């Protein structure tokens, strides 16, 4: 391999690593904690995620929403609900307001509550102040370093971009100067019988190679989330001439008094579509022209879903989109898979486990890399002073 290219890649890898290493460690460790967040929450807090008795009929959706809002402080309104196809699961209503100009985690969330309701009895199982939830704090540390949307998100965004560059430069360094049997073995195996300095080097070199593909996918998905212009460019480029129209509710000329029935109609429609599927999210309209937006997910793969927009005044389906549709465009299809690319769920449970190990390796790389840097500094011979 060209020595100039190798030296350039080494310098890029070194200085970018020294610049962003700590942030990469934080994001990797928090990512590992969040890898099985739902499973951990269900195991730790079963009393709010699961009901005590399953009955034949659930209460009307409007009644459940009312129960949730009555349990909230300061007359707050719910903005979203999560429903599971598992009959033993509670409904999780959410009330959230954010300040994207805030400089800290505590300022970012003006309020954030989750209300867990038994769909059969209407009993409120728990009102959770999500700002104090351990996993929510870890999530914000992962996304924003607890430094708010403007500063924190910018830092993590550029750090993931730097990580991608480091992964490519690392591949250049990983490739040996001369290819032979010994070099080939060193590329893929850790020499456990060697001294600790060599073991540390192999851990950085070999483990980094094995984690490079999932880490590149993680970085790509994070860049898409953090840089809106990149997201739009990728989507527009791959979609070509395909245009998407935003669904809007038709505002009635007279006063609207049928909200309760419409809400039940939307809830029943979503419940019917939940058959043989995993879960659903329903977001409530925020404006006069807004719609009830429902996302029904087939499995643990988030992209395998159907999306509905319901008119908030009639309950009529204004727009329906399925991941199976061939006319949604490659850009839209790729964007829908972004969450699954980032978490590994695109490959199901094996993918999530694979990503967990990749995250653990990512957390170790800045540490092993820094040790390599210190060892090389110690090796540099001191310049002898000339006696005149």
């Amino acid at each position: 391999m060209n020595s100039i290219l190798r030296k350039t890649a080494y310098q890029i890898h070194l200085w970018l690593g020294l610049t962003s290493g700590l942030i990469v460690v934080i994001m990797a460790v928090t990512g590992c904690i969040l890898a099985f967040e739902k499973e951990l929450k269900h195991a730790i807090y079963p009393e709010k995620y699961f009901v005590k008795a399953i009955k034949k009929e659930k209460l009307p959706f409007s009644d459940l929403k009312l129960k949730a809002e009555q349990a909230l402080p300061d007359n707050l309104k719910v903005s979203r609900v999560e429903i599971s196809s598992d009959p033993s699961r509670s409904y999780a209503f959410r009330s959230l307001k954010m300040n994207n100009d805030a400089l800290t985690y505590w300022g970012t969330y003006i309020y954030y509550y989750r209300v867990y309701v038994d769909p059969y009895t209407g009993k409120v199982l728990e009102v959770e102040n999500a700002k104090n939830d351990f996993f929510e704090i870890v999530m914000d540390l992962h996304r924003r370093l607890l430094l708010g949307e403007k500063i924190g998100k910018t830092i993590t965004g550029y750090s993931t971009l730097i990580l991608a560059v480091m992964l490519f430069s690392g591949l250049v360094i990983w490739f040996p100067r001369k290819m032979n049997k010994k070099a080939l073995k060193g590329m893929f195996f850790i020499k456990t019988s060697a001294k600790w300095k060599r073991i540390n080097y192999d851990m950085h070199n070999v483990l980094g190679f094995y984690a490079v593909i999932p880490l590149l996918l993680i970085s790509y998905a994070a860049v898409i989330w953090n840089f809106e212009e990149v997201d739009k460019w990728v989507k527009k480029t791959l979609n070509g001439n395909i245009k998407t129209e935003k669904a809007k509710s038709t505002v009635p000329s007279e006063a609207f008094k049928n909200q309760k029935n419409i809400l039940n109609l939307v809830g029943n429609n979503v419940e019917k579509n939940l058959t043989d599927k995993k879960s659903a999210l329903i977001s409530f309209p925020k404006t006069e022209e807004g719609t009830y937006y429902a996302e029904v997910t087939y499995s643990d793969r988030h992209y395998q879903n159907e999306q509905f927009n319901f008119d908030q005044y009639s309950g009529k389906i204004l727009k329906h989109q399925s991941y199976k549709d061939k006319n949604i465009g490659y850009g839209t299809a790729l964007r829908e898979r972004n969450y699954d690319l980032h978490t590994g769920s695109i490959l199901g449970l094996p993918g999530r486990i694979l990503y967990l190990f990749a995250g653990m390796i990512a957390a170790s790389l800045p540490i092993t890399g820094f040790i390599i840097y210190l060892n090389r500094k110690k090796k540099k011979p001191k310049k002898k002073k000339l006696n005149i």
Side-chain angles (χ1 to χ4, degrees), residues 249 256 258 261-263 265-266 269 292 309-318:
S249 294
F256 178 68
N258 205 23
N261 291 338
I262 298 302
L263 189 56
L265 180 64
V266 171
N269 202 322
Y292 288 104
N309 290 91
F310 299 93
D311 189 299
Q312 65 170 298
Y313 305 106
S314 67
K316 179 183 176 182
I317 298 175
L318 301 174

Side-chain angles (χ1 to χ4, degrees), residues 167-262:
L167 290 168
F168 282 115
S169 60
L171 278 175
V172 175
I173 301 166
W174 168 82
F175 200 85
R177 291 181 178 88
K178 293 181 179 179
M179 185 61 73
N180 53 46
K181 189 177 180 181
K182 186 179 178 181
L184 195 64
K185 190 176 180 181
M187 292 168 71
F188 301 104
F189 300 99
I190 297 171
K191 190 177 181 181
T192 55
S193 61
K195 293 181 179 180
W196 75 269
K197 288 183 181 180
R198 174 58 191 269
I199 293 172
N200 180 77
Y201 176 82
D202 282 354
M203 285 177 66
H204 188 83
N205 204 38
V206 177
L207 294 181
F209 167 74
Y210 285 122
V212 71
I213 293 177
L215 290 180
L216 279 172
L217 292 174
I218 289 170
S219 300
Y220 164 78
V223 166
I224 291 298
W225 275 328
N226 283 290
F227 297 100
E228 189 178 346
E229 292 304 315
V230 176
D231 184 12
K232 288 180 179 177
W233 179 82
V234 171
K235 196 172 179 180
K236 185 177 179 181
T237 302
L238 294 178
N239 274 351
N241 296 323
I242 295 174
K243 294 182 179 181
T244 55
E245 294 183 4
K246 191 175 180 180
K248 294 181 180 180
S249 294
T250 304
V251 182
S253 55
E254 299 178 355
F256 178 68
K257 300 179 181 179
N258 205 23
Q259 187 177 21
K260 184 177 178 179
N261 291 338
I262 298 302

Side-chain angles (χ1 to χ4, degrees), residues 304-362:
Q304 293 181 343
N305 63 49
E306 286 185 76
Q307 299 169 27
F308 300 87
N309 290 91
F310 299 93
D311 189 299
Q312 65 170 298
Y313 305 106
S314 67
K316 179 183 176 182
I317 298 175
L318 301 174
K319 187 178 179 181
H320 171 253
Q321 177 181 301
S322 170
Y323 81 99
K324 297 178 182 178
D325 294 342
K326 295 181 180 179
N327 60 344
I328 61 174
Y330 293 116
T332 301
L334 180 60
R335 184 63 177 84
E336 288 292 317
R337 286 160 172 76
N338 207 62
Y339 175 83
D340 299 295
L341 285 172
H342 190 73
T343 61
S345 54
I346 196 161
L347 299 174
L349 182 60
R352 293 170 66 195
I353 295 171
L354 174 66
Y355 270 43
L356 175 62
F357 284 109
M360 293 166 68
I361 291 170

